[in-house]
């Protein structure tokens, strides 16, 4: 059984990205168990003066949930052609402490749900770039960008959410199956070592003090 932490990059009540996370269990291969992280809204803006021991309760919950997970699924909107600030802030907290970051060596699947049928790929690209830079292994294919929300997701009478387009459902199934393989083979855990071997030098940390 692989434990997968599902994180929404939106704080909005009834967010379409949060709704998509509830659809994952029905699309996942056998042996994947999902836990949805409640909210990123409790995290303060990253400030190294606040990054102390003992950790702030909201920070401790996020880092502990990520550490306990075998893999992650992130569903996020695209804000202003990039990643939402709340999600980037969570990455900043989870990328610490140096040498023992929670968000490193994880297999990750990234999905975007957007009302637009033209946007979403820039938010996806930026999210993947940050996660990869932190030493995670992101499922590279297929790219899942669900446009036309909220009509792109439908709720059955029993409350179960599913993609309206069967082709989108198939893409998500394929992405989750690949994530399951990454988790089972522990392939993602080698990502930080590969990143350090290819880094330009020992004095180029991914997170610098300012």
């Amino acid at each position: 059984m692989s434990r997968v932490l599902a994180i929404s990059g939106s704080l909005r009540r009834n967010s379409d990205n949060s709704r998509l996370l509830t659809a994952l269990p029905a699309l996942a291969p056998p042996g994947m168990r999902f836990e949805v992280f409640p909210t990123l809204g409790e995290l303060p803006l990253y400030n190294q003066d606040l990054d102390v021991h003992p950790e702030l309760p909201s920070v401790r919950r996020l880092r502990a949930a990520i550490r306990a997970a075998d893999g992650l699924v992130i569903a996020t909107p695209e804000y202003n052609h990039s990643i939402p600030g709340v999600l980037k802030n969570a990455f900043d907290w989870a990328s610490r402490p140096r040498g023992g970051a929670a968000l490193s060596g994880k297999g990750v699947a990234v999905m975007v749900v957007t009302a637009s049928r033209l946007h979403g790929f820039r938010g996806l690209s930026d999210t993947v770039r940050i996660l990869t830079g932190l030493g995670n292994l992101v499922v590279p294919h297929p790219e899942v960008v669900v446009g036309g929300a909220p009509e792109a997701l439908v709720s059955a009478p029993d409350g179960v959410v599913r993609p309206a387009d069967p082709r989108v459902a198939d893409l998500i199934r394929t992405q989750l199956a690949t994530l399951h393989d990454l988790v089972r083979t522990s392939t993602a855990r080698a990502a930080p070592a590969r990143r350090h071997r290819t880094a330009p030098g020992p004095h180029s940390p991914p997170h610098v003090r300012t």
Side-chain angles (χ1 to χ4, degrees):
M1 179 71 69
S2 59
R3 297 168 297 175
V4 177
L5 182 67
I7 298 176
S8 173
S10 174
L11 302 182
R12 182 173 65 86
R13 183 179 300 177
N14 299 323
S15 157
D16 295 308
N17 284 276
S18 299
R19 290 178 65 214
L20 177 63
L21 294 181
T22 67
L24 300 183
L27 300 172
M32 293 187 86
R33 178 169 59 87
F34 292 88
E35 174 189 350
V36 178
F37 192 76
T39 179
L40 300 180
E42 297 176 355
L43 293 167
L45 292 176
Y46 184 82
N47 178 346
Q48 195 164 3
D49 291 339
L50 301 179
D51 196 359
V52 296
H53 185 79
E55 298 164 311
L56 297 174
S58 58
V59 174
R60 183 175 64 252
R61 284 191 291 271
L62 175 68
R63 289 174 175 171
I66 292 175
R67 287 193 178 101
D70 299 310
L72 305 177
V73 173
I74 295 173
T76 179
E78 177 180 296
Y79 285 177
N80 295 324
H81 311 299
S82 188
I83 180 174
V86 66
L87 186 59
K88 177 57 167 62
N89 186 53
F91 290 167
D92 290 344
W93 280 109
S95 70
R96 306 290 281 182
R98 286 187 59 189
L103 189 56
S104 185
K106 299 290 184 181
V108 189
V110 180
M111 308 172 187
V112 171
V113 183
T114 175
S116 171
R117 296 187 181 276
L118 301 176
H119 301 125
F121 284 97
R122 283 171 289 196
L124 175 69
S125 176
D126 284 355
T127 305
V128 170
R129 177 173 52 83
I130 294 168
L131 289 167
T132 302
L134 294 176
N136 301 283
L137 192 57
V138 181
V139 176
H141 186 79
E143 294 180 321
V144 176
V145 175
V146 184
E151 291 78 9
L153 301 174
V154 297
S155 297
D158 59 2
V160 175
V161 176
R162 62 176 176 80
D165 189 337
R167 295 171 297 181
V168 172
D170 287 341
L171 292 177
I172 295 174
R173 286 191 187 95
T174 301
Q175 197 178 59
L176 293 178
T178 302
L179 177 63
H180 190 46
D181 288 341
L182 292 178
V183 168
R184 286 190 305 151
T185 60
S186 301
T187 303
R189 295 178 187 173
R194 289 196 299 270
R195 180 170 63 92
H196 289 311
R197 284 198 300 269
T198 58
H203 303 295
S204 302
H207 191 126
V208 297
R209 183 171 181 162
T210 58

